[in-house]
Amino acid sequence: EAQVTQNPRYLITVTGKKLTVTCSQNMNHEYMSWYRQDPGLGLRQIYYSMNVEVTDKGDVPEGYKVSRKEKRNFPLILESPSPNQTSLYFCASSPATLNYEQYFGPGTRLTVT
Amino acid sequence: AQSVTQPDIHITVSEGASLELRCNYSYGATPYLFWYVQSPGQGLQLLLKYFSGDTLVQGIKGFEAEFKRSQSSFNLRKPSVHWSDAAEYFCAVGTPNSGGYQKVTFGTGTKLQVIP
């Protein structure tokens, strides 16, 4: 089954404790992206990757890091989480060219206390 | 830069009634247009998309959307709403960035409540 998976689905952590949210897709998509969803703000793009070893900032990259060492994986790293990063995070993938929809993972709800 | 406006934060309709969710965009040319649905606790699923051609687009679950260039709008419609349509709906626009890849901007969403 074609899918995007994220782990963990739920995470409660404390300020400053480094964490990684994994994302994996099995569709051989070149393009992958991370979004955060906050009430009243919709989805905002954090980072995206056009291919292996090629990443770029989205609209809200501060406090986040990403890496793309393999085509299928695109982990999101919070090196020193803060309470304002409490949010619902989605990973998505898409064929690299224009005019394709994105396929979303189930989301990761992160709470930073 | 592109932007997307969904003016209705929350809409309540009766089961069986018709539905129209509004979406307006701002962009210098015709963007790629999408509607996604997010059921509670789920990720986003594509309902339909418009790239070119016929301005009335059919999607899954009985939804359709009409692109109106003159109004910069891409409103989502359904003739008869089912209780299972209760969800949050997001309009999105895609435009090419400087590298030729698609930059997608989402609206803030419209939450649909369906009452018996």
Side-chain angles (χ1 to χ4, degrees):
Chain A
E1 180 190 355
Q3 61 182 348
V4 178
T5 57
Q6 296 178 229
N7 282 292
R9 294 288 312 277
Y10 302 91
L11 179 60
I12 301 174
T13 189
V14 296
T15 299
K17 186 176 181 182
K18 180 178 179 180
L19 67 90
T20 299
V21 183
T22 64
C23 173
S24 183
Q25 51 93 6
N26 62 2
M27 295 169 280
N28 202 37
H29 285 169
E30 292 186 2
Y31 183 94
M32 297 185 74
S33 183
W34 275 104
Y35 295 89
R36 61 177 289 172
Q37 182 180 15
D38 301 290
L41 297 177
L43 277 80
R44 295 179 292 168
Q45 190 178 50
I46 302 171
Y47 268 96
Y48 63 97
S49 170
M50 294 80 83
N51 214 324
V52 176
E53 302 291 2
V54 183
T55 64
D56 205 353
K57 297 177 181 178
D59 298 317
V60 288
E62 294 77 21
Y64 304 94
K65 284 178 60 176
V66 293
S67 69
R68 188 93 180 271
K69 293 181 169 41
E70 304 168 281
K71 196 171 187 178
R72 64 182 292 129
N73 297 323
F74 190 44
L76 178 69
I77 304 157
L78 285 71
E79 295 211 324
S80 184
S82 62
N84 65 12
Q85 293 179 297
T86 292
S87 187
L88 180 58
Y89 292 86
F90 287 101
C91 180
S93 74
S94 175
T97 55
L98 295 174
N99 77 21
Y100 277 92
E101 68 267 28
Q102 295 184 79
Y103 296 81
F104 283 82
T108 295
R109 184 164 294 281
L110 172 66
T111 301
V112 183
T113 61
Chain B
Q2 70 269 37
S3 66
V4 184
T5 301
Q6 292 182 250
D8 303 306
I9 297 172
H10 190 273
I11 282 183
T12 300
V13 300
S14 299
E15 191 169 14
S18 64
L19 171 70
E20 182 169 28
L21 302 182
R22 296 182 291 165
C23 173
N24 292 94
Y25 68 88
S26 174
Y27 184 62
T30 299
Y32 304 106
L33 296 159
F34 308 88
W35 274 100
Y36 288 87
V37 60
Q38 184 181 27
S39 298
Q42 305 292 316
L44 278 72
Q45 179 186 20
L46 181 74
L47 281 176
L48 46 78
K49 59 188 178 185
Y50 173 79
F51 300 138
S52 64
D54 192 345
T55 56
L56 186 62
V57 180
Q58 302 298 321
I60 63 172
K61 304 185 181 186
F63 285 91
E64 65 179 26
E66 185 172 13
F67 169 60
K68 292 186 177 180
R69 185 190 310 273
S70 61
Q71 299 176 20
S72 297
S73 69
F74 189 56
N75 293 348
L76 182 71
R77 301 195 294 248
K78 186 168 185 178
S80 177
V81 170
H82 188 261
W83 64 266
S84 61
D85 293 324
E88 191 159 17
Y89 293 80
F90 291 92
C91 182
V93 299
T95 59
N97 64 13
S98 57
Y101 290 90
Q102 183 169 238
K103 161 78 175 168
V104 179
T105 300
F106 286 84
T108 52
T110 298
K111 192 162 288 189
L112 174 65
Q113 181 183 12
V114 180
I115 57 176

